[in-house]
Amino acid sequence: MPSFHATSVRTRLAMTACAAGLLVLTTACGSGDDPDGAEASDGTITVANFAGAGITLPDQLAASEGFFEEQGITADFVQVTSAGTQLAALTSGSIDVAQNAVGQVMAAQQQGQDVRLFCGGVSKAWNVVMVKDDSPIETVDPADWREGFKALEGTTFGLDSLGAGQEAYFRSLAAEAGADIDSINLVAVGTVGEAAATLSSGRVDAIFGYPFVQQSEVAAGNARVAIDIVNSGEQLPYHTGYFASAEWLDANADLARGFCEAIGEADTFMADPANLDTVVSFLADDFGLDRAVAEQFAGPDGVTPIYSPDLDCTAIDLSAEQAETAKLVDAEPALRCEDMIWDGIDG
């Protein structure tokens, strides 16, 4: 059984009509009329979805393979485009469950929102630095990633959003490398296609690459990996997780545990070589990936092992320190794993 929770689930994919109005989400889109955590008696969970981003693969696969449905859950996916809009929707009651890095949970708690992690998402660093194929920024050996970061001084670097997990991670890596962070212009470029288009346009010199923008853009010859932090041989701290308001979790404890069971089942499913063809077809059909790109992602040398339903307190605490060092959250009150984990995970 995964740390802090169980593992096994099925759900039905229901793309809610609320998805069309991301910035005007209303509480009618949530699982109940009460934004303060009403019980979802019909088993519906409204889940934030960064369309096309690899971070969403476990919940999308859990829906497709019926793992949520086995737990009596209907997953209602609502499109979000940034960490900020996702958090606003969660705290207003428009959505029930969100996923992002530890820093967003810390920021929400420091703003007076009692949100808690209840299931793991990505357990290891997966970001690489991508540049246009003809960029003057040179590709470095993964082990020399620090030198690569120093070469980013004086450039404009694109992050999915500012003030969230990616910025904290970037700043911590730059500090570790000894790079002059003040000389790097950080800008928000959105996710997946938006980020790729911004890089291609030349408005930024480099972006963070991640599944699936990394695989797609490299395969198309539009970009290359300049700094491969993932294969650096170092265990760099990074942790995302699914989180919700404590009130919603307490009111829907069985659903929350069932949700995480489904995520764990999906993680196991995609890592099993026997399911490779199914996973590749799913990535091609539902995420629009070229089949060769999907095979690269899901194959034996792919990155599916980064997904885990476990909540690793060591990684969470390191991620919390990252966010504090980057000054994306206040150092006081200091928040650590025990402050951010829902206490009902194990029932």
Side-chain angles (χ1 to χ4, degrees):
M1 185 166 80
S3 306
F4 297 110
H5 68 267
T7 12
S8 109
V9 191
R10 291 202 163 196
T11 185
R12 185 159 61 93
L13 178 60
M15 297 303 292
T16 175
C18 297
L22 169 63
L23 296 180
V24 290
L25 292 170
T26 67
T27 55
C29 303
S31 59
D33 293 330
D34 180 0
D36 296 323
E39 184 177 356
S41 58
D42 64 350
T44 298
I45 301 179
T46 307
V47 185
N49 178 255
F50 289 97
I55 194 174
T56 68
L57 179 56
D59 51 69
Q60 297 299 295
L61 189 62
S64 177
E65 290 299 314
F67 299 137
F68 286 134
E69 191 174 12
E70 286 180 350
Q71 300 293 322
I73 294 171
T74 296
D76 213 7
F77 294 104
V78 174
Q79 304 305 311
V80 296
T81 57
S82 71
T85 54
Q86 173 181 245
L87 185 58
L90 181 71
T91 56
S92 73
S94 300
I95 60 173
D96 301 317
V97 172
Q99 183 190 178
N100 213 298
V102 170
Q104 190 175 35
V105 176
M106 298 174 71
Q109 287 196 1
Q110 290 185 345
Q111 293 166 16
Q113 304 293 338
D114 191 7
V115 299
R116 302 293 174 122
L117 291 161
F118 70 99
C119 189
V122 174
S123 62
K124 297 179 182 177
W126 69 353
N127 293 104
V128 298
V129 173
M130 289 174 55
V131 299
K132 289 178 67 174
D133 197 49
D134 60 357
S135 170
I137 298 173
E138 297 182 357
T139 295
V140 299
D141 185 276
D144 296 328
W145 68 268
R146 291 173 179 81
E147 294 305 311
F149 262 78
K150 289 180 182 178
L152 296 176
E153 293 175 350
T155 66
T156 298
F157 194 93
L159 301 168
D160 60 3
S161 60
L162 299 179
Q166 267 203 8
E167 183 178 352
Y169 188 54
F170 181 87
R171 287 181 176 274
S172 70
L173 293 175
E176 171 69 20
D180 179 7
I181 187 64
D182 292 333
S183 74
I184 304 173
N185 181 27
L186 300 179
V187 298
V189 295
T191 60
V192 195
E194 293 174 292
T198 304
L199 178 64
S200 179
S201 73
R203 295 198 298 272
V204 296
D205 300 299
I207 62 172
F208 256 154
Y210 48 85
F212 301 106
V213 63
Q214 173 189 341
Q215 289 81 5
S216 296
E217 291 302 295
V218 171
N222 298 328
R224 58 181 166 83
V225 175
I227 309 173
D228 189 351
I229 309 131
V230 174
N231 291 312
S232 67
E234 298 185 35
Q235 184 58 49
L236 302 167
Y238 191 76
H239 204 303
T240 74
Y242 293 91
F243 58 96
S245 72
E247 277 190 287
W248 185 88
L249 289 167
D250 290 340
N252 299 280
D254 288 341
L255 277 181
R257 295 185 197 107
F259 180 94
C260 201
E261 290 261 359
I263 297 302
E265 192 75 11
D267 291 344
T268 299
F269 183 91
M270 76 173 86
D272 187 341
N275 300 322
L276 178 61
D277 286 345
T278 300
V279 174
V280 167
S281 294
F282 178 72
L283 291 172
D285 295 342
D286 287 64
F287 282 79
L289 297 187
D290 178 86
R291 193 168 182 89
V293 173
E295 289 173 349
Q296 177 190 2
F297 174 84
D301 298 321
V303 295
T304 52
I306 65 175
Y307 297 101
S308 173
D310 295 346
L311 288 167
D312 180 345
C313 272
T314 299
I316 289 173
D317 286 344
L318 287 171
S319 296
E321 292 171 12
Q322 276 183 353
E324 291 170 351
T325 300
K327 295 183 169 51
L328 297 182
V329 298
D330 295 330
E332 296 295 337
L335 297 172
R336 291 298 180 262
C337 186
E338 64 271 16
D339 304 305
M340 291 183 271
I341 299 290
W342 178 48
D343 60 12
I345 287 176
D346 290 323

